[in-house]
Amino acid sequence: MKASIEWLKEYSDIDVDTIKLGDILTMTGSKVETIEQRGNNIKNVVVGKILEVTKHPDADKLVVTKIDIGNGEILQIVTAAPNIKVGESGQIVPVAKDGAELPKGVNIHTGKLRGVESQGMMCGMEELEIDPASYPNKVVDGIFILDDEYEKYLGKDIVDVLKLKEDIIDFEITSNRPDCFSIEGLGREVAASLNKEFKDPRKNIDELKVEDKKELEGLKVDIEAPDLCYRYIARVVKDVKIKESPDWMKRRLNACGIRSINNIVDITNYVMLEMGQPMHAFDINSIKGKHITVRRSKKGEKITTLDEQERILDENNLVIADEEKAVAIAGVMGGLNSEIEENTKTVVFESAVFYGGNVRKTAKQVGLRTESSSRFEKGLSSENALRAINRAVELVELLEAGKAIDGKIDVYPTKQEKREVKFDVEKINNLLGTKISREEMIDILKRLEIKVENEKAIAPYFRMDIEFLADIAEEIARFYGYDKLETTLIKADTTLGIRNKEQKIVNKVKETLVNSGLSEIYTYGFLSQKDLEKSNISEQIKKYAIEIQNPLGEEFKYMRPSTIPSMMQTLAINANKKNLEVKLFDISRNYKNNDNQIEQGEVPLQEDILTIGMYGENIDFYLLKGIIENILEAININKYDIEKETQNESYHPGRCANIKIGIDVVATLGEVHPEVLQNYSIEKRAYIAELNITKLAKYSRENKKYVEIPKYPAVERDIAVIVDENVEVGQIEKIIAKKARKLLESMNLFDIYRNEKLGDNKKSVAYSLIFRDKNKTLDDSTINKAMEEIIKELEKTLKAELRK
């Protein structure tokens, strides 16, 4: 935000130089980016009048002029400027005398041009660094010809005459201070920083009462989207005269980087800069039916904006519309069909407040970020809208640009809330590490127009950022002086710095995976809607995705509810770079709004997830399963079930499994679904696993359980059963373990056999079983009984047949 010192002086007595002021404001939180001091590099340039122009005796393109620079002093100057011609006289021009200094280090001295003495130089706009937009009717490529009214300033310094001397400060305004995106807001900061009284030049506007009306000149206003448009005010001006703005207004606009267009458009820009409230002006005849509706746009609706570009909107955008079409993109830019033209006679001024998040998304979507949108997206005060529109009407009458019609249309469905924070001196001092007295705190807050009543700090309407005690503490700290804050030690109850259980598990997991030949990667916690769809993430999981209010872009729109898309992106990059074998793992978080925690002001569910991604010639499901079993063994988890998984659409339906402990699914592993591989342009089989570290931490034992060396011998028995093809080995193993009870020391699957002699859709599954009793030697009768129970239960439950 640029601000000229001359403009800021309307709000406060500034008794320090601009450099010093910049230092003071930076220390109070209004960071100064640059300071531009215009006019200081122009010296010994005066106003002159051309008395005579004759042809140069020895050059066709040069002319010799006689110029009166006041006090009877006449200079002879030779020039080749195309707009100074033989026989012309009486023109008022800037004249750089002998010894003059111009911008960019140019020095002027008396010399000769083709044998004729030249005692200086006439200046153009470029030599004086004057913005041509400030003088739209003047010649740019040539000498700057001043209006005849400047003849009374002959011999006077051109810097003073044209008011070229101007100090401009460019501020970096933080997003939480939209009030400082205005000269008025910066004026308050200057007054408070210098401990001066804030001079309110708009006091008459604050006290002005304007009657509410339902219609003005037949104009009506409705708001159909009160969640996106908090307030909409319209005032009407008739008998409008479109013309140039006065020099003082053009100069102030130019200082802030805005080009002058005409008096009506300039008024809206001037008020935006002065009071921080973007405005728009419509030709009332461009509004069909004279009925303004603030509504969501229709999908595919088109509007040609003032920059003559066609924009395509969707149902998430907000527009200002008449009975037939959209006439403006709310908060971004007006439509070309409502442009103020030379024959415009009746103008509608609009002052509205829109939801900042929607304005920002719309501006990004249509590729059009403007001065208006940059202010709206930070959140503006609804109470300031009325002051701004009244100021615009005041300027219309001041510039004799039209006549204001009494009354206003004010639709205000969403009232601005009053900001109150408990005022606690002790807590503020504890937070800052200071001993500031209550009286000094109140004095600082008073300078900022923050009232303290009934132990509450009440923020003014323009301070939308005041929400918590920390905000009040910040205001006190920056005006008390950061340099006065003493260095203090942190006061806290500390504990011995050791890793917790989950951190130890993570370290053990990383060690196991690196030893297995995997490489660790780090991925972002953001993703897009497209990423979720490409990875076939289920609707059940998608609904838990957390949408970011202020994303960097569409690809960072959501906090990820699943880590699969991040791993698939990395595998796709490797496949694209022709890496033949890839074995990666990533330990990071997913984020789920499971029980609407965010809406209830709570933190969403965050779980640490280990994601493994692999592809290559020697990699298959069983290798991945073995790596996961190694992980479980490393973190001392021995009892778990592996079950077939067919519903997860990110995985191949026949090559996916869940690992369960009790009712918790702690891991999912398998081959990536062919459709997902196709979405990521991966032409070979890939495998992924997700292990929930947060859940595994519940079941992991920190120390391995000691098992003594057995004293008694083991007994080994083999068993082979014929079962249906769809029976899982896990089902068989559960029955064996259940019926063998504590006698079973281990079991090992050593054969799966298929043959047409076994029958259709049949297979033989063979196990080697080890039995042992730690208290005695097992006899055959005990073992036989256990085997009979196992076979009986297999026949009953799985319709198994003992293979002989």
Side-chain angles (χ1 to χ4, degrees):
M1 171 72 191
K2 290 184 177 181
S4 71
I5 297 299
E6 178 261 341
W7 203 348
L8 288 174
K9 284 181 177 178
E10 283 192 7
Y11 298 88
S12 174
D13 292 325
I14 300 176
D15 54 4
V16 296
D17 63 62
T18 304
I19 303 297
K20 179 66 174 175
L21 178 63
D23 292 340
I24 292 171
L25 290 171
T26 296
M27 288 302 295
T28 57
S30 301
K31 184 185 175 186
V32 173
E33 285 286 288
T34 58
I35 295 177
E36 182 181 1
Q37 295 183 291
R38 297 179 180 176
N40 287 355
N41 51 2
I42 301 174
K43 295 179 180 178
N44 211 19
V45 180
V46 299
V47 177
K49 179 180 179 180
I50 298 176
L51 302 177
E52 178 184 316
V53 183
T54 59
K55 188 178 181 301
H56 191 286
D58 198 27
D60 293 338
K61 294 184 178 181
L62 298 177
V63 294
V64 181
T65 65
K66 302 289 184 182
I67 300 179
D68 180 3
I69 60 170
N71 299 321
E73 187 177 358
I74 307 298
L75 299 181
Q76 176 176 283
I77 294 178
V78 179
T79 181
N83 59 331
I84 302 297
K85 298 179 181 178
V86 173
E88 293 183 349
S89 62
Q91 295 161 316
I92 310 301
V93 296
V95 179
K97 298 164 60 178
D98 180 47
E101 296 179 12
L102 297 177
K104 300 177 182 177
V106 176
N107 296 306
I108 304 300
H109 298 284
T110 297
K112 287 187 178 182
L113 289 176
R114 300 292 293 270
V116 177
E117 184 178 52
S118 182
Q119 298 172 306
M121 183 182 80
M122 289 179 283
C123 301
M125 290 188 190
E126 184 177 356
E127 282 89 7
L128 299 175
E129 290 190 337
I130 294 174
D131 184 359
S134 301
Y135 298 91
N137 297 322
K138 300 297 182 182
V139 174
V140 176
D141 298 324
I143 302 303
F144 183 18
I145 308 297
L146 301 172
D147 293 337
D148 293 341
E149 64 186 64
Y150 287 96
E151 184 174 352
K152 59 186 177 184
Y153 297 113
L154 286 185
K156 301 294 183 183
D157 192 326
I158 196 71
V159 173
D160 297 330
V161 172
L162 296 182
K163 297 181 179 178
L164 299 179
K165 187 172 179 59
E166 188 168 31
D167 289 355
I168 300 169
I169 300 181
D170 191 359
F171 294 92
E172 178 188 334
I173 309 298
T174 55
S175 59
N176 67 319
R177 290 299 303 276
D179 59 299
C180 286
F181 273 92
S182 66
I183 301 298
E184 185 177 65
L186 290 172
R188 287 193 183 95
E189 289 292 306
V190 170
S193 298
L194 297 177
N195 202 8
K196 302 284 187 180
E197 181 184 356
F198 173 65
K199 298 186 294 187
D200 187 0
R202 304 283 83 79
K203 190 174 181 181
N204 61 318
I205 294 295
D206 295 336
E207 296 172 351
L208 182 65
K209 303 295 181 184
V210 183
E211 183 183 355
D212 283 343
K213 295 189 175 181
K214 293 185 178 180
E215 292 188 18
L216 285 175
E217 294 291 293
L219 182 73
K220 296 181 293 182
V221 175
D222 287 311
I223 296 178
E224 292 183 357
D227 57 322
L228 300 182
C229 178
Y230 304 150
R231 189 176 193 180
Y232 190 101
I233 308 173
R235 290 198 67 179
V236 178
V237 174
K238 63 181 182 179
D239 300 332
V240 171
K241 302 178 183 67
I242 305 297
K243 55 185 178 181
E244 274 190 49
S245 298
D247 287 343
W248 63 267
M249 179 174 280
K250 289 193 289 187
R251 190 172 63 253
R252 285 185 170 181
L253 290 173
N254 179 56
C256 295
I258 292 184
R259 180 172 58 91
S260 173
I261 298 179
N262 60 51
N263 53 351
I264 298 298
V265 175
D266 288 356
I267 284 171
T268 62
N269 287 330
Y270 187 88
V271 173
M272 177 183 68
L273 293 173
E274 183 179 55
M275 305 182 79
Q277 172 63 44
M279 299 182 63
H280 190 59
F282 301 93
D283 184 331
I284 197 170
N285 293 322
S286 69
I287 303 170
K288 298 296 181 183
K290 293 187 178 181
H291 186 187
I292 291 175
T293 303
V294 186
R295 59 169 173 82
R296 283 179 165 84
S297 57
K298 301 165 187 174
K299 189 170 185 179
E301 187 170 3
K302 297 179 181 179
I303 180 173
T304 301
T305 45
L306 288 170
D307 59 355
E308 301 184 2
Q309 297 293 316
E310 185 178 76
R311 316 282 176 179
I312 301 176
L313 308 176
D314 61 31
E315 62 274 14
N316 296 317
N317 305 133
L318 189 70
V319 295
I320 314 300
D322 59 21
E323 292 183 348
E324 294 182 359
K325 63 190 178 303
V327 296
I329 304 175
V332 181
M333 185 177 279
L336 189 64
N337 50 27
S338 64
E339 185 179 20
I340 300 296
E341 298 176 343
E342 289 186 4
N343 60 354
T344 297
K345 295 301 178 186
T346 304
V347 168
V348 178
F349 281 97
E350 162 207 294
S351 181
V353 178
F354 308 108
Y355 168 53
N358 182 262
V359 172
R360 185 175 189 277
K361 289 179 181 178
T362 299
K364 289 194 71 176
Q365 178 184 322
V366 301
L368 186 61
R369 198 162 188 264
T370 62
E371 288 282 347
S372 293
S373 68
S374 67
R375 284 169 169 79
F376 276 122
E377 67 188 30
K378 291 169 179 63
L380 299 182
S381 165
S382 298
E383 295 298 311
N384 196 39
L386 180 58
R387 299 175 66 252
I389 203 167
N390 288 341
R391 172 61 170 158
V393 170
E394 180 186 56
L395 286 170
V396 167
E397 296 184 333
L398 178 67
L399 272 54
E400 297 180 348
K403 181 179 179 182
I405 294 175
D406 291 336
K408 68 179 188 300
I409 299 175
D410 187 357
V411 185
Y412 196 178
T414 309
K415 303 291 183 183
Q416 179 176 323
E417 295 180 0
K418 193 174 183 180
R419 305 271 174 155
E420 294 183 349
V421 177
K422 185 178 179 182
F423 183 65
D424 191 320
V425 175
E426 184 179 355
K427 283 188 177 180
I428 291 172
N429 275 323
N430 286 339
L431 186 61
L432 300 178
T434 55
K435 296 179 181 179
I436 306 172
S437 67
R438 175 187 175 88
E439 291 70 26
E440 189 173 358
M441 287 186 184
I442 292 176
D443 180 63
I444 291 172
L445 296 177
K446 184 179 179 181
R447 285 154 56 186
L448 297 168
E449 300 183 43
I450 300 174
K451 298 178 183 178
V452 177
E453 296 177 357
N454 300 322
E455 298 305 313
K456 287 185 178 181
I458 304 171
Y461 69 88
F462 51 84
R463 290 303 302 271
M464 304 286 287
D465 60 306
I466 302 294
E467 296 183 79
F468 309 105
L469 183 68
D471 298 320
I472 297 297
E474 180 186 6
E475 298 304 301
I476 291 170
R478 65 192 186 97
F479 287 102
Y480 172 74
Y482 292 122
D483 55 323
K484 295 180 184 178
L485 299 180
E486 297 180 1
T487 302
T488 56
L489 294 173
I490 296 174
K491 295 179 181 178
D493 294 326
T494 59
T495 57
L496 183 64
I498 60 174
R499 291 188 178 94
N500 60 30
K501 182 180 179 182
E502 189 166 327
Q503 290 170 332
K504 291 178 181 177
I505 289 174
V506 168
N507 283 352
K508 200 68 179 176
V509 167
K510 287 184 178 181
E511 181 184 336
T512 304
L513 290 170
V514 171
N515 290 340
S516 299
L518 279 75
S519 301
E520 184 175 8
I521 61 170
Y522 292 91
T523 57
Y524 287 121
F526 313 111
L527 44 69
S528 66
Q529 179 73 27
K530 187 177 180 181
D531 291 324
L532 293 170
E533 293 170 356
K534 285 175 67 175
S535 297
N536 284 1
I537 302 301
S538 69
E539 295 298 327
Q540 180 68 19
I541 295 178
K542 282 183 189 176
K543 73 178 184 179
Y544 297 140
I546 301 166
E547 186 172 354
I548 299 171
Q549 291 183 355
N550 204 14
L552 295 173
E554 281 299 313
E555 64 271 29
F556 304 114
K557 187 176 182 181
Y558 295 99
M559 299 298 291
R560 62 183 177 199
S562 169
T563 55
I564 290 179
S566 302
M567 181 57 74
M568 289 305 304
Q569 289 173 7
T570 309
L571 292 180
I573 291 170
N574 279 274
N576 186 49
K577 294 183 181 296
K578 308 300 182 184
N579 289 336
L580 297 179
E581 183 175 279
V582 174
K583 299 161 76 176
L584 305 172
F585 74 92
D586 173 33
I587 299 179
S588 53
R589 287 184 175 179
N590 63 17
Y591 307 85
K592 295 181 182 179
N593 189 23
N594 276 6
D595 300 312
N596 296 320
Q597 293 105 320
I598 293 178
E599 290 77 3
Q600 298 169 22
E602 299 176 4
V603 176
L605 176 65
Q606 301 178 42
E607 297 177 310
D608 288 322
I609 305 296
L610 163 64
T611 312
I612 299 174
M614 311 169 71
Y615 70 75
E617 184 178 349
N618 298 315
I619 294 172
D620 59 16
F621 175 87
Y622 296 103
L623 175 64
L624 177 61
K625 176 174 173 284
I627 291 173
I628 293 173
E629 288 175 336
N630 288 342
I631 291 172
L632 296 176
E633 182 180 352
I635 61 176
N636 299 327
I637 295 178
N638 300 314
K639 294 183 179 181
Y640 52 84
D641 296 320
I642 301 177
E643 297 181 353
K644 186 175 182 180
E645 169 60 51
T646 59
Q647 302 302 313
N648 194 323
E649 296 182 8
S650 299
Y651 294 87
H652 191 297
R655 298 167 188 164
C656 177
N658 288 332
I659 295 179
K660 295 180 69 176
I661 302 177
I663 61 171
D664 280 337
V665 176
V666 297
T668 301
L669 67 150
E671 184 179 322
V672 179
H673 197 289
E675 186 178 285
V676 175
L677 293 174
Q678 185 177 354
N679 291 341
Y680 283 96
S681 302
I682 299 175
E683 297 177 352
K684 56 185 71 179
R685 291 184 178 183
Y687 300 86
I688 277 186
E690 306 163 88
L691 283 79
N692 191 314
I693 300 291
T694 303
K695 289 182 179 179
L696 287 173
K698 293 192 305 182
Y699 300 103
S700 171
R701 294 195 306 273
E702 293 197 38
N703 298 306
K704 289 188 175 182
K705 186 178 179 181
Y706 170 73
V707 179
E708 64 180 357
I709 297 173
K711 298 177 181 179
Y712 300 98
V715 178
E716 183 175 354
R717 292 286 180 92
D718 292 344
I719 182 173
V721 291
I722 301 171
V723 293
D724 290 339
E725 188 67 53
N726 61 356
V727 172
E728 299 174 10
V729 293
Q731 294 174 277
I732 299 173
E733 290 174 0
K734 281 183 181 180
I735 291 173
I736 294 174
K738 179 181 177 182
K739 291 300 177 181
R741 299 182 182 87
K742 295 181 180 181
L743 295 180
L744 183 68
E745 183 175 88
S746 66
M747 73 176 93
N748 178 44
L749 174 67
F750 68 85
D751 181 52
I752 297 179
Y753 175 72
R754 295 176 177 86
N755 189 288
E756 59 184 14
K757 294 179 179 179
L758 297 176
D760 293 336
N761 293 318
K762 295 287 185 179
K763 63 183 175 183
S764 170
V765 182
Y767 284 93
S768 175
L769 308 180
I770 304 293
F771 296 93
R772 191 194 304 267
D773 190 327
K774 65 180 182 178
N775 298 315
K776 61 181 180 180
T777 300
L778 291 173
D779 54 34
D780 287 343
S781 62
T782 304
I783 300 299
N784 292 338
K785 183 178 179 182
M787 290 295 294
E788 288 173 4
E789 289 187 15
I790 291 171
I791 294 168
K792 184 177 180 181
E793 186 63 26
L794 288 172
E795 291 174 345
K796 176 182 175 183
T797 305
L798 303 179
K799 298 181 180 178
E801 179 184 347
L802 186 65
R803 185 181 173 194
K804 300 176 182 178

